[in-house]
Amino acid sequence: MNAESDGRDGGVAAATTDPETGGATDERGLGSRAPQYIQARRTLHLSWQVGVFVVGLAVVIAGIIMLPLPGPGWVVIFGGMAIWATEFVWAQLVMRWTKRKLTEAAQKALDPKVRRRNIILTTIGLVIIAVLVGIYVWKFGIVMPWKINE
C-alpha cells in the first residue's frame, strides 16, 4: 500500500473561499474525474486519457471549423475544453480562468455607468445611420426594384 499521494484526489469536493465575494464556493479538486477502477489501473487510465483527448480534440476541431461556417463555433470549442477538463489539469485551469473572466465581464456589463455609456453610444450610432439613410433617400429617392427603368 502506498501511503504517499500521487496528486490525484479522486474528485473530492474542496470548499474554498472566493476572495472577491467573500463567500464559500464548492469546487471539485483538480485532477482526473475518471472512475476509481479506471484510475487504479495504469494502462486503463492511460487509455482513458487518450480517448478523452481524442474526443475533446475532435469536438474542438469541429468548433474551429464552425467559426467561419454556420454553427455555434465558440460553444462547441468550449464544450471540447469541458471534455478535456474532465481529465486534464491544464484544461481545468483554462476553464476556471474562462469562467472567472466571463463573470467579470458580466459584472462589468451590469455596471450602471457602462450600461449608460453603451445606451448613449448605440443611440448616437442609430441617429447617424438614420441621418445617412435620410440623405440618401432625399438625394436619390426610393425606387422599388420592380419599377426600375432601364
Side-chain angles (χ1 to χ4, degrees), residues 19-64:
E20 294 177 3
T21 61
T25 60
D26 186 31
E27 292 183 0
R28 295 181 70 173
L30 296 175
S32 177
R33 306 273 197 276
Q36 286 294 330
Y37 69 90
I38 290 177
Q39 289 183 12
R41 294 162 182 82
R42 177 107 174 109
T43 55
L44 188 57
H45 191 242
L46 185 61
S47 301
W48 178 272
Q49 286 181 328
V50 169
V52 167
F53 182 79
V54 168
V55 170
L57 183 65
V59 172
V60 168
I61 289 173
I64 291 171

Side-chain angles (χ1 to χ4, degrees), residues 125-144:
L126 290 174
V127 167
I128 291 172
I129 290 172
V131 167
L132 292 174
V133 167
I135 291 172
Y136 179 84
V137 169
W138 173 70
K139 183 153 179 102
F140 299 107
I142 299 177
V143 178
M144 297 296 164

Side-chain angles (χ1 to χ4, degrees), residues 97-139:
W97 179 84
T98 304
K99 286 178 185 177
R100 188 174 61 246
K101 290 298 180 183
L102 286 174
T103 303
E104 290 172 6
Q107 299 245 336
K108 186 176 179 183
L110 294 175
D111 182 27
K113 292 178 187 175
V114 175
R115 290 184 69 202
R116 193 174 318 122
R117 183 197 67 203
N118 289 345
I119 290 171
I120 290 170
L121 290 174
T122 302
T123 304
I124 290 171
L126 290 174
V127 167
I128 291 172
I129 290 172
V131 167
L132 292 174
V133 167
I135 291 172
Y136 179 84
V137 169
W138 173 70
K139 183 153 179 102

